[in-house]
């Protein structure tokens, strides 16, 4: 956010300050599935503009569903389409906080098993669902690298791990 504009001789200098942005989720420790080779050594990953993933376990009881990435228990969801902060209306964070309805949300999951279509069982398959289309984009990775002032490669490592898992030869 722009903190101030000041004059430096004939030049005007606009000072900016990085602020917490709640729609880029910082997934760490308990949010990374330590029992999965996909995420166990990832350490941390930022997940931008994610939608939570909900699985109907009753209708999918023959499938193995393994959450990979989850938000913290202090996370909240919003139906607002506004992604720019409004610090005048909400000085603390720029957004209305939904603190009365906080819980962890699954942001990425893998599903294994035989999927049925029209009552016909398919051969064993693997499915990966990630609740953020922006996570693996060059634009997001470049922006995070600029903000962190370091090459940010966690999404690349995650996608390589996902590819390794999806191509792994396993007996179902």
């Amino acid at each position: 956010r722009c903190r101030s504009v000041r004059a430096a001789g004939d030049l005007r200098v606009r000072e900016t300050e990085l602020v917490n942005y709640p729609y880029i989720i910082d997934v760490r420790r308990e949010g990374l599935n330590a029992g999965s080779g996909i995420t166990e050594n990832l350490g941390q990953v930022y997940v931008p503009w994610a939608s939570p993933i909900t699985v109907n376990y009753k209708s999918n009881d023959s499938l193995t569903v393994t959450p990979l990435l989850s938000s913290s228990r202090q996370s909240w969801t919003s139906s607002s389409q506004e992604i720019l902060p409004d610090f005048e209306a909400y000085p603390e964070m720029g957004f209305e906080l939904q603190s009365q309805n906080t819980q962890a949300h699954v942001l990425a999951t893998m599903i294994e098993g035989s999927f049925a279509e029209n009552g016909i069982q398919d051969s064993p398959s693997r499915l990966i669902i990630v609740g953020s289309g922006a996570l693996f984009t060059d634009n997001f990775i470049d922006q995070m690298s600029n903000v962190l002032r370091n090459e940010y490669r966690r999404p690349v490592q995650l996608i390589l791990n996902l590819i390794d898992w999806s191509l792994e030869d396993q007996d179902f």
Side-chain angles (χ1 to χ4, degrees):
R1 86 176 156 175
C2 182
R3 293 276 302 181
S4 63
V5 178
R6 63 181 173 88
D10 291 336
L11 298 173
R12 292 184 67 183
V13 177
R14 185 170 126 178
E15 296 177 340
T16 55
E17 173 189 14
L18 291 176
V19 295
N20 287 330
Y21 185 71
Y23 296 122
I24 298 179
I25 303 160
D26 185 0
V27 179
R28 296 177 183 263
R29 293 181 236 36
E30 70 275 355
L32 299 168
N33 184 336
S36 169
I38 295 171
T39 54
E40 69 181 345
N41 293 318
L42 202 56
Q44 177 277 342
V45 67
Y46 292 106
V47 183
W49 305 288
S51 295
I53 298 168
T54 304
V55 175
N56 182 340
Y57 289 94
K58 289 180 184 175
S59 65
N60 293 297
D61 61 350
S62 65
L63 301 174
T64 302
V65 180
T66 307
L68 296 172
L69 302 176
S70 299
S71 64
S72 73
R73 289 185 294 260
Q74 293 80 34
S75 297
W76 44 270
T77 59
S78 173
S79 59
S80 172
Q81 297 295 309
E82 188 59 55
I83 62 169
L84 296 177
D86 180 353
F87 289 104
E88 288 183 20
Y90 309 104
E92 184 180 332
M93 190 170 276
F95 297 93
E96 181 179 7
L97 300 179
Q98 309 291 322
S99 58
Q100 70 278 6
N101 190 20
T102 59
Q103 67 180 48
H105 298 278
V106 175
L107 306 175
T109 191
M110 59 184 183
I111 303 173
E112 300 175 87
S114 296
F115 296 87
E117 185 175 334
N118 298 326
I120 301 170
Q121 281 299 106
D122 194 6
S123 61
S125 301
R126 297 179 179 149
L127 178 66
I128 300 164
I129 303 169
V130 179
S132 171
L135 174 60
F136 303 113
T137 64
D138 289 340
N139 188 28
F140 174 71
I141 293 169
D142 290 345
Q143 286 178 354
M144 291 308 298
S145 294
N146 289 334
V147 167
L148 298 171
R149 296 182 182 168
N150 196 359
E151 190 174 27
Y152 179 66
R153 306 293 292 168
R154 300 285 166 79
V156 175
Q157 185 61 54
L158 177 59
I159 195 72
L160 291 173
N161 291 351
L162 290 169
I163 291 168
D164 282 347
W165 173 81
S166 67
L167 297 175
E168 190 176 80
D169 187 22
Q170 288 183 342
D171 294 328
F172 280 90

